[in-house]
Amino acid sequence: DTEVTQTPKHLVMGMTNKKSLKCEQHMGHRAMYWYKQKAKKPPELMFVYSYEKLSINESVPSRFSPECPNSSLLNLHLHALQPEDSALYLCASSQLVADTQYFGPGTRLTVL
Amino acid sequence: KQEVTQIPAALSVPEGENLVLNCSFTDSAIYNLQWFRQDPGKGLTSLLLIQSSQREQTSGRLNASLDKSSGRSTLYIAASQPGDSATYLCAALNSGYSTLTFGKGTMLLVSP
């Protein structure tokens, strides 16, 4: 089973809302990732969580905060987002950081 | 900073043609190079991963090659089918394992 699941599939939120995106994998992978993808652009790495350590792309604003409750879950908490944060948010996992990454279907986020 | 370029940006071919997608990268100190497929509004599907020590990988009608010294990879698709229509992305993993850098993709349309 090479499945990464993401919920919700679609999310519409106002700039004052707090919401969370959820990502789950049951492949025993040790690394999980969050990417942001704008229309007709490649994915951009936001966060990497591997071996219980979080690595952050320094360009990602603090209104995005990841949380890893256990080795199978990686959540992304959203607070006070801006309309330009509207994008497809992709989660991925891999056995090790250097291995093939398996992507989830994504969450389509719209910020009004 | 690694930069990944894909040529062409878009390609339209009739069914049955063999085709080549190109990917180039500026920093040859990569650990591996991966090819993905993305359908509109969907997540990424891993197609092939080539380790830096390898020259090529094959899966079904797909063959990917890697020439680290020249900073190039190609994805060869044999006997193209309408179901192959998608955006194809290549991504280079740097030797520090910290970032997967994507190209902007080649949008492929295979017409019946």
Side-chain angles (χ1 to χ4, degrees):
Chain A
D1 181 12
T2 56
E3 187 178 12
V4 176
T5 59
Q6 291 187 242
T7 54
K9 291 185 178 179
H10 302 276
L11 178 62
V12 180
M13 60 186 291
M15 291 189 286
T16 59
N17 293 157
K18 287 185 180 181
K19 297 287 184 183
S20 296
L21 308 185
K22 179 181 174 181
C23 175
E24 190 169 12
Q25 57 89 11
H26 293 288
M27 296 176 278
H29 287 175
R30 300 297 302 275
M32 296 183 74
Y33 316 78
W34 278 110
Y35 289 86
K36 174 183 177 180
Q37 186 178 26
K38 301 283 279 184
K40 300 191 183 299
K41 300 286 187 181
E44 295 180 358
L45 182 67
M46 300 176 73
F47 305 102
V48 179
Y49 195 86
S50 66
Y51 300 104
E52 302 178 359
K53 182 180 176 182
L54 178 67
S55 299
I56 301 172
N57 181 337
E58 294 180 352
S59 68
V60 175
S62 59
R63 54 186 183 267
F64 295 92
S65 59
E67 178 205 12
C68 193
N70 59 57
S71 59
S72 300
L73 283 171
L74 184 64
N75 299 323
L76 184 62
H77 299 301
L78 317 173
H79 173 57
L81 294 194
Q82 302 296 310
E84 60 264 29
D85 297 321
S86 299
L88 181 67
Y89 286 84
L90 294 164
C91 176
S93 72
S94 61
Q95 183 63 252
L96 301 172
V97 173
D99 290 333
T100 299
Q101 293 188 21
Y102 296 91
F103 282 77
T107 293
R108 175 71 62 187
L109 174 67
T110 302
V111 182
L112 302 176
Chain B
K1 179 185 175 183
Q2 177 75 276
E3 292 183 5
V4 178
T5 303
Q6 291 188 245
I7 295 174
L11 181 63
S12 182
V13 300
E15 181 177 6
E17 275 204 7
N18 302 324
L19 54 99
V20 175
L21 308 182
N22 297 292
C23 172
S24 61
F25 46 94
T26 55
D27 185 352
S28 62
I30 63 169
Y31 189 79
N32 63 42
L33 187 130
Q34 301 177 44
W35 283 93
F36 296 89
R37 165 187 173 142
Q38 186 173 31
D39 293 288
K42 305 291 186 181
L44 279 66
T45 300
S46 178
L47 297 174
L48 290 164
L49 181 149
I50 312 176
Q51 301 290 356
S52 61
S53 59
Q54 297 175 322
R55 298 284 291 183
E56 65 179 320
Q57 282 288 327
T58 298
S59 176
R61 294 183 294 108
L62 305 179
N63 175 277
S65 67
L66 175 64
D67 184 342
K68 263 186 58 175
S69 60
S70 66
R72 293 181 181 179
S73 177
T74 61
L75 179 67
Y76 175 82
I77 302 177
S80 59
Q81 302 171 358
D84 295 330
S85 298
T87 295
Y88 291 80
L89 296 149
C90 70
L93 182 67
N94 69 15
S95 294
Y97 308 163
S98 60
T99 303
L100 192 63
T101 304
F102 284 84
K104 292 184 177 181
T106 293
M107 187 182 300
L108 173 65
L109 177 62
V110 181
S111 52

